[in-house]
Amino acid sequence: MELENKLSEQINDIKKENFEKLAQLFPSIIKDGQVDFKALKEELGEFEEVKEERYEFTWAGKQNAKKKVQEDVGARTLKYIEEDSKNPDTTENLYIEGDNLEVLKLLRQNYYGSIKMIYIDPPYNTGKDFIYNDNFKISDEESAINQGYITKENERLEKNTKDSNRFHAKWLNEMYPRLKMARDLLTDDGIIIINIDEHEIINLQKILDEIFGELNNLGNIIWDKRNPKGDSKGIASQHEYILFYTKNKEYFLSQCQVVRPKKNAELILKKAKQLFNKINLTYSLEQANKDFSQWINLQTNFSGGEKAYNKIDENGEVYRPVSMAWPNKSKAPDEYFIPLIHPITKKECPIPERGWRNPRATMELLLTNGLILFGKDETTQPTRKYLLKDNMYENISSLLYYGGSDIELLKSLKIPFDTPKVLDICKEHILAFSNKNDIILDFFSGSATTAHAVMQLNAEDGGNRKYIMVQLNELTYEGKKEKYIDDNGDEKERYIIDKETGYPIVANDSEARKEGFYTICEIGKERIRRAGELIKKEIEESNKQLQLGEEPKKVPDIGFKVFRTADTNINWKKIREVSKDNVMKFDDPDMLDFTLGFNDKDVVYEVLLRQRDLPLSEKLVTLTDIGSRTYLYADSYLVCLETKVTEELIENLAELNPLPIKFIFRDSAFGSKIGLKEETFRKLKTLVEKNSGLTKKAYTVEFI
């Protein structure tokens, strides 16, 4: 019997998914298994085309860019690099080396609809910064290293120079499929944040409007960097842009309060709480306020540079009294002159000469909410009470004034990188647009500022945000090249490889290479390591100096698992060629199922890339009590790579507690025992469904 539950070689089938979605939304448009596009237009209210012309943003290569989105990633996978990882058994963070389009496709099954925020700083297309793939195959002799990018895929990658007659088109062709794939990864209330400058702002906004929809444009920030660039003959730009698009704006705004903390507000609240905890049991409220005023004599630019909050009310809330008088020189309208009655004496309080600051309706609301502060009797003019807890945050402005950079910060970490994202701005936006347990993705990672920001925020507020960093493995220097003649007699260029380092010999050196960083990935990973250790040290030192009533801070997750794009470990072609009725005999079954140089962990991760909603950060353990090649992932997915499956092994698996939700075996491990394979499928499938109460069709046992 040929079971239908074979592990799929194909990771993504986007065309099929889109077809099924259309069929579900509009059943009437599916006729004989095909989409009737005329019927689809009618469903959308388009009964006839008025004109041939219509508004559309297009460029040379757009159709191919769309096709690239739907192409499967092919015989590619992610290879786990344990030696580069930090705290791999406990971390929930990922660092992935490779072409980001390829990585996005590889992650699509596992993280579909799971990423809350994508925060990227893509190449600005200045003519020097975008490496693109022109799909030109070169020979294996070229050492698989070309044009400043280290690869094993024999693909030539070039910089998009301004002298190209398709300068903007090439940039768009690279960005479009990446942004299209990125949208699939976002949660329904997810957001993408993109830094860009004047070179491609117009084109970027147009493709974002097309991919995400104009209605999902949350807004743009103009970033005044206080650093004019360009020549003096024209207009020197000193600003850049930050674009914000949501997957579903209405849902996003219903789930997220887009605000940021006011400067020093957290510090003031912290000190106020410390004092109140200290004096609460031994002092009267009057004495507490007196001591508080003396003890916390702070000045701050919070709320326009006024004095810090210096009172505590009967509920222990920190507040600041503010005048309720009309602020303008002219007299206020009549509705600003309503009488206020003292709650104890029941007599009318004096009204300011020009009227109150607020109209009748607002004053009545303030009274109801207890936000008007009366004196000891009616002779004192009331003041407005501003609670600190209600004034901790402010809206995000569309203008950002920040002229600094983080180059000095990186120097302090001994990380050589000239154009990092700004840590504080990155932190501010992550804090404002996401929650404490969300996943943040950056697929133009660079020096890994986003990872640093996530760790720093978690350290400050006790959050458990996770990050996924993706970076192309670019060289940090110019490598030496030589000319050669290929098999077709054509003259080409290739790098000359240093046999000791494995990298190209230096032609033009860089400071990064001199300091031991041959690639951008090495810079990013090392920054995360050093920043994480610094955060850990600061928390440990702070915990040694705790004040009364303060809780010690926890060190956040400062680790990460490293993966690298690589060729498949599974010999899909040979497996397909094996007859359904005959078992091909091999002295070494691994020669049938797997490729040369494979290892079990890489096979397991390749299998897991074909599962939905399964993060790659979970723990992988070997079930040595059952077999040396039987693995359990996330306590839920069992991958058995034993060369022989026996009845005893199946019995042991069936007794696992808790029972995994899916079992994956090698087809070849059953040999000629077709009956055992069928029995294994039925038995384990029944057990899993009984335990999990599955109501939808899902294979719980699969075979490689």
Side-chain angles (χ1 to χ4, degrees):
M1 181 184 80
E2 179 65 20
L3 299 173
E4 296 178 357
N5 54 320
K6 295 284 288 185
L7 184 71
S8 173
E9 177 180 355
Q10 187 174 2
I11 290 182
N12 300 300
D13 192 345
I14 299 175
K15 288 183 284 187
K16 181 182 177 183
E17 289 179 17
N18 290 339
F19 181 88
E20 290 172 349
K21 289 176 184 176
L22 277 175
Q24 186 175 4
L25 286 171
F26 308 112
S28 63
I29 72 170
I30 306 301
K31 299 175 182 178
D32 297 325
Q34 301 292 323
V35 177
D36 183 333
F37 290 100
K38 182 176 181 295
L40 175 59
K41 285 185 177 181
E42 291 175 353
E43 288 282 357
L44 299 175
E46 297 180 17
F47 293 96
E48 62 180 27
E49 192 72 36
V50 177
K51 294 181 179 179
E52 291 185 4
E53 298 84 9
R54 61 180 178 179
Y55 176 78
E56 183 180 11
F57 177 53
T58 189
W59 64 88
K62 183 177 182 180
Q63 289 303 315
N64 285 332
K66 287 184 174 181
K67 290 178 183 178
K68 191 181 289 187
V69 176
Q70 298 187 357
E71 291 172 357
D72 191 48
V73 73
R76 301 287 288 160
T77 187
L78 292 176
K79 182 178 179 64
Y80 176 43
I81 314 296
E82 188 170 7
E83 61 271 21
D84 272 12
S85 303
K86 179 175 182 177
N87 304 337
D89 292 334
T90 57
T91 187
E92 296 184 87
N93 301 316
L94 301 179
Y95 189 99
I96 305 175
E97 303 176 13
D99 180 281
N100 51 18
L101 179 58
E102 190 172 75
V103 173
L104 291 172
K105 289 186 176 185
L106 287 166
L107 294 179
R108 187 174 179 272
Q109 288 293 317
N110 300 77
Y111 291 91
Y112 189 95
S114 299
I115 306 294
K116 177 58 181 288
M117 175 185 288
I118 295 174
Y119 202 133
I120 59 173
D121 190 3
Y124 287 180
N125 208 21
T126 61
K128 302 176 182 178
D129 57 355
F130 207 134
I131 294 179
Y132 74 94
N133 185 347
D134 69 355
N135 293 320
F136 183 81
K137 295 291 181 181
I138 57 179
S139 72
D140 292 334
E141 296 177 356
E142 292 188 59
S143 185
I145 300 180
N146 209 336
Q147 297 292 345
Y149 168 61
I150 300 177
T151 177
K152 294 181 180 178
E153 289 71 65
N154 295 326
E155 294 179 329
R156 187 176 71 187
L157 293 109
E158 298 181 345
K159 289 190 180 293
N160 191 21
T161 56
K162 279 191 173 180
D163 56 6
S164 167
N165 60 1
R166 294 179 60 197
F167 177 65
H168 293 291
K170 286 180 178 179
W171 188 88
L172 287 165
N173 287 331
E174 292 302 300
M175 290 301 297
Y176 185 91
R178 286 161 174 80
L179 293 172
K180 187 77 170 176
M181 292 299 302
R183 185 182 181 279
D184 284 349
L185 299 181
L186 284 176
T187 58
D188 289 339
D189 61 342
I191 184 170
I192 185 168
I193 303 174
I194 307 178
N195 291 8
I196 201 71
D197 74 355
E198 68 278 4
H199 288 88
E200 295 291 353
I201 173 65
I202 296 174
N203 289 331
L204 177 60
Q205 188 149 355
K206 286 180 179 177
I207 58 174
L208 287 170
D209 283 345
E210 181 172 320
I211 293 170
F212 287 85
E214 290 184 60
L215 295 177
N216 292 317
N217 181 355
L218 193 64
N220 301 339
I221 286 178
I222 297 175
W223 179 0
D224 184 348
K225 304 190 81 169
R226 306 298 175 94
N227 181 27
K229 56 185 177 179
D231 58 54
S232 58
K233 295 180 181 178
I235 296 176
S237 294
Q238 68 176 39
H239 67 272
E240 293 181 5
Y241 306 87
I242 308 176
L243 277 57
F244 298 79
Y245 278 75
T246 62
K247 193 169 185 178
N248 183 320
K249 183 176 178 179
E250 183 177 353
Y251 185 56
F252 172 83
L253 292 175
S254 72
Q255 300 296 309
C256 181
Q257 185 180 3
V258 184
V259 290
R260 63 182 177 185
K262 290 184 179 178
K263 193 173 182 180
N264 292 335
E266 289 280 2
L267 175 64
I268 297 168
L269 182 61
K270 176 182 175 182
K271 290 185 177 295
K273 286 182 176 179
Q274 285 175 353
L275 178 69
F276 194 72
N277 288 337
K278 180 179 178 181
I279 64 178
N280 187 38
L281 298 178
T282 56
Y283 289 89
S284 67
L285 186 64
E286 181 181 357
Q287 186 66 33
N289 272 313
K290 179 181 177 182
D291 286 3
F292 180 76
S293 300
Q294 295 173 353
W295 185 81
I296 192 171
N297 186 21
L298 297 175
Q299 291 289 328
T300 176
N301 60 4
F302 181 68
S303 290
E306 299 181 59
K307 284 188 177 181
Y309 292 82
N310 58 4
K311 300 286 182 182
I312 301 175
D313 70 9
E314 61 276 7
N315 299 313
E317 299 287 359
V318 184
Y319 71 91
R320 172 171 55 87
V322 177
S323 171
M324 296 184 69
W326 180 255
N328 301 326
K329 292 182 179 181
S330 59
K331 181 181 176 182
D334 291 344
E335 64 171 329
Y336 288 75
F337 284 85
I338 68 165
L340 283 183
I341 306 301
H342 194 279
I344 297 176
T345 66
K346 308 301 180 183
K347 295 181 179 180
E348 186 176 328
C349 298
I351 299 175
E353 183 179 353
R354 291 191 295 271
W356 301 111
R357 179 182 291 265
N358 303 113
R360 176 184 295 273
T362 303
M363 296 291 280
E364 290 174 352
L365 184 63
L366 292 174
L367 274 171
T368 302
N369 293 329
L371 293 178
I372 294 182
L373 191 66
F374 291 91
K376 61 181 179 179
D377 57 36
E378 76 281 355
T379 61
T380 303
Q381 192 178 93
T383 55
R384 165 74 190 274
K385 184 192 290 186
Y386 277 94
L387 293 177
L388 177 60
K389 69 173 185 177
D390 296 330
N391 291 270
M392 292 282 292
Y393 300 94
E394 59 188 351
N395 291 328
I396 300 289
S397 171
S398 63
L399 297 175
L400 172 62
Y401 301 97
Y402 190 95
S405 82
D406 276 358
I407 293 178
E408 291 303 317
L409 169 65
L410 293 194
K411 282 183 179 179
S412 70
L413 293 171
K414 297 182 179 179
I415 297 295
F417 197 81
D418 294 335
T419 56
K421 286 198 285 288
V422 177
L423 181 66
D424 286 343
I425 294 174
C426 195
K427 279 173 53 183
E428 180 178 297
H429 291 151
I430 293 173
L431 184 62
F433 295 95
S434 67
N435 298 313
K436 289 185 178 181
N437 294 304
D438 289 332
I439 303 174
I440 317 297
L441 167 66
D442 184 346
F443 54 85
F444 285 101
S445 172
S447 67
T449 299
T450 304
H452 190 167
V454 168
M455 293 189 298
Q456 189 69 54
L457 274 177
N458 286 342
E460 292 171 6
D461 65 12
N464 187 36
R465 303 169 186 86
K466 281 78 67 175
Y467 65 74
I468 301 175
M469 299 292 105
V470 182
Q471 176 58 43
L472 191 70
N473 208 14
E474 299 175 53
L475 292 176
T476 59
Y477 63 99
E478 185 179 336
K480 196 171 184 179
K481 299 177 183 178
E482 64 180 358
K483 293 183 178 180
Y484 75 103
I485 305 298
D486 69 6
D487 295 338
N488 298 320
D490 296 326
E491 186 180 86
K492 292 186 177 180
E493 261 190 348
R494 64 186 174 193
Y495 281 112
I496 305 173
I497 305 303
D498 185 323
K499 293 181 180 179
E500 290 186 9
T501 66
Y503 292 106
I505 293 173
V506 177
N508 290 316
D509 212 348
S510 66
E511 289 303 315
R513 211 285 316 166
K514 290 176 183 177
E515 294 184 35
F517 298 102
Y518 284 79
T519 68
I520 301 297
C521 289
E522 291 174 359
I523 288 176
K525 289 181 291 186
E526 190 58 27
R527 176 184 182 175
I528 299 173
R529 293 188 191 102
R530 295 179 186 180
E533 287 301 317
L534 181 61
I535 289 169
K536 178 182 176 182
K537 181 180 178 181
E538 289 174 347
I539 289 177
E540 290 173 345
E541 290 297 320
S542 175
N543 286 342
K544 293 177 182 177
Q545 305 172 31
L546 293 176
Q547 301 293 325
L548 185 65
E550 278 189 296
E551 291 291 330
K553 284 187 176 182
K554 293 182 180 179
V555 177
D557 182 356
I558 58 173
F560 54 95
K561 273 185 176 180
V562 177
F563 289 87
R564 185 176 298 145
T565 53
D567 287 331
T568 180
N569 302 282
I570 301 174
N571 206 332
W572 299 102
K573 184 178 180 181
K574 279 188 179 179
I575 292 173
R576 287 197 306 270
E577 290 173 352
V578 174
S579 170
K580 293 181 180 180
D581 301 319
N582 299 308
V583 178
M584 189 176 292
K585 294 183 179 180
F586 276 82
D587 293 333
D588 182 2
D590 288 342
M591 294 293 291
L592 167 64
D593 293 334
F594 307 128
T595 59
L596 192 64
F598 84 98
N599 69 62
D600 278 2
K601 284 189 177 180
D602 289 335
V603 172
V604 172
Y605 279 112
E606 186 164 355
V607 169
L608 297 173
L609 286 172
R610 288 156 174 80
Q611 311 302 320
R612 279 272 188 174
D613 305 321
L614 183 63
L616 298 179
S617 55
E618 297 286 351
K619 191 172 183 179
L620 174 65
V621 297
T622 307
L623 300 182
T624 52
D625 293 342
I626 293 177
S628 62
R629 301 180 70 181
T630 299
Y631 304 90
L632 184 64
Y633 187 77
D635 296 325
S636 301
Y637 290 77
L638 187 134
V639 182
C640 180
L641 300 182
E642 309 291 346
T643 55
K644 289 184 180 180
V645 173
T646 63
E647 292 181 7
E648 181 183 2
L649 185 145
I650 298 302
E651 288 297 326
N652 290 336
L653 295 179
E655 292 175 2
L656 288 173
N657 187 19
L659 191 73
I661 64 172
K662 180 170 280 191
F663 294 84
I664 296 136
F665 298 94
R666 297 168 62 170
D667 222 347
S668 62
F670 291 89
S672 59
K673 299 178 181 179
I674 304 300
L676 177 60
K677 180 181 176 183
E678 295 175 4
E679 177 60 24
T680 297
F681 176 75
R682 283 193 293 267
K683 182 173 184 175
L684 295 178
K685 184 174 186 292
T686 301
L687 281 173
V688 173
E689 291 180 347
K690 181 180 178 181
N691 277 273
S692 60
L694 294 175
T695 56
K696 60 181 181 179
K697 181 179 178 181
Y699 288 120
T700 53
V701 183
E702 291 182 347
F703 302 93
I704 301 173

